[in-house]
Amino acid sequence: MSSHSMVEVQTFDKQTLADAKVLAGLSPNAMRRVFLGWLLFTLAVITIIAFAPKLSEQFILITIGVLVSFTFVIFWQSRISEGWPSIIQAQDYIGVVRDPQLRQFVCVRLDAVIDAKPATIQPNKKAVEILIDPSSVTEEDVARLNQAIWPRDDRLLALTHFKQRELICQEIRSLCSEQTA
């Protein structure tokens, strides 16, 4: 990321994303717990259908095949090691996901962030607004901000499904105050 630009669209590799601090979304630890839960569910279903009376062999094999295939797809996508983050902190930047498959984030320097507050994306999606100092961004920065999923000229919006919005905002404010201290 260049040092003169306050806003960047950054594509992370697997390791860099795994090393980033997940502020919102599913962290790698949460994904491991989800995957472990899926494995336990899969084993329980396979055990039940394997010993259930009067089920056809074809039904049993198809069910086991689907469960095992889905398990490999989850593992193959490698999200266990990196999670599905929606807001991250990497180096001196806060990033909001732009394209989760590409690991692409719209990132803003912490020293340009002036506040974070709970928001709602219509009609009823819980989100966080990361407010950016308008005097610190250039026209190119605004153009990058407008590449976000929910484009705005002076803020980034991110969905928050699994964590309270107020806690995320507090964490972002804390990171920004550490940056200025």
Side-chain angles (χ1 to χ4, degrees), residues 37-90:
W38 171 258
L39 286 176
L40 294 173
F41 169 78
T42 300
L43 290 173
V45 169
I46 288 172
T47 302
I48 289 169
I49 65 164
F51 294 108
K54 299 183 182 174
L55 289 179
S56 72
E57 189 174 313
Q58 181 181 5
F59 175 80
I60 293 171
L61 291 175
I62 289 173
T63 304
I64 291 172
V66 168
L67 290 171
V68 170
S69 298
F70 191 72
T71 302
F72 281 118
V73 167
I74 293 172
F75 188 76
W76 175 67
Q77 286 197 348
S78 76
R79 291 301 180 170
I80 295 168
S81 63
E82 58 197 84
W84 283 94
S86 61
I87 305 173
I88 61 169
Q89 187 251 325

Side-chain angles (χ1 to χ4, degrees), residues 161-173:
H161 295 292
F162 305 106
K163 192 173 179 182
Q164 287 184 345
R165 296 177 293 175
E166 293 77 12
L167 294 176
I168 298 166
C169 293
Q170 185 177 25
E171 202 167 351
I172 292 170
R173 287 186 205 113

Side-chain angles (χ1 to χ4, degrees), residues 26-178:
L26 284 174
S27 70
N29 288 336
M31 282 301 291
R32 286 184 195 100
R33 289 191 297 268
V34 167
F35 188 68
L36 180 62
W38 171 258
L39 286 176
L40 294 173
F41 169 78
T42 300
L43 290 173
V45 169
I46 288 172
T47 302
I48 289 169
I49 65 164
F51 294 108
K54 299 183 182 174
L55 289 179
S56 72
E57 189 174 313
Q58 181 181 5
F59 175 80
I60 293 171
L61 291 175
I62 289 173
T63 304
I64 291 172
V66 168
L67 290 171
V68 170
S69 298
F70 191 72
T71 302
F72 281 118
V73 167
I74 293 172
F75 188 76
W76 175 67
Q77 286 197 348
S78 76
R79 291 301 180 170
I80 295 168
S81 63
E82 58 197 84
W84 283 94
S86 61
I87 305 173
I88 61 169
Q89 187 251 325
Q91 296 109 14
D92 296 335
Y93 288 84
I94 294 281
V96 171
V97 70
R98 179 174 182 269
D99 186 332
Q101 287 291 358
L102 296 177
R103 299 175 191 87
Q104 196 172 67
F105 290 78
V106 177
C107 299
V108 63
R109 289 184 57 85
L110 282 169
D111 52 3
V113 175
I114 55 175
D115 198 8
K117 62 181 187 177
T120 303
I121 297 173
Q122 296 302 326
N124 61 356
K125 296 177 190 277
K126 292 183 178 185
V128 165
E129 282 184 330
I130 301 170
L131 304 172
I132 301 166
D133 180 5
S135 66
S136 67
V137 294
T138 64
E139 287 182 29
E140 292 84 14
D141 292 333
V142 171
R144 288 184 199 102
L145 285 170
N146 284 310
Q147 292 180 34
I149 295 173
W150 293 281
R152 303 290 190 275
D153 289 350
D154 62 344
R155 66 195 68 208
L156 285 171
L157 292 169
L159 292 179
T160 57
H161 295 292
F162 305 106
K163 192 173 179 182
Q164 287 184 345
R165 296 177 293 175
E166 293 77 12
L167 294 176
I168 298 166
C169 293
Q170 185 177 25
E171 202 167 351
I172 292 170
R173 287 186 205 113
S174 174
L175 288 168
C176 293
S177 64
E178 288 173 13

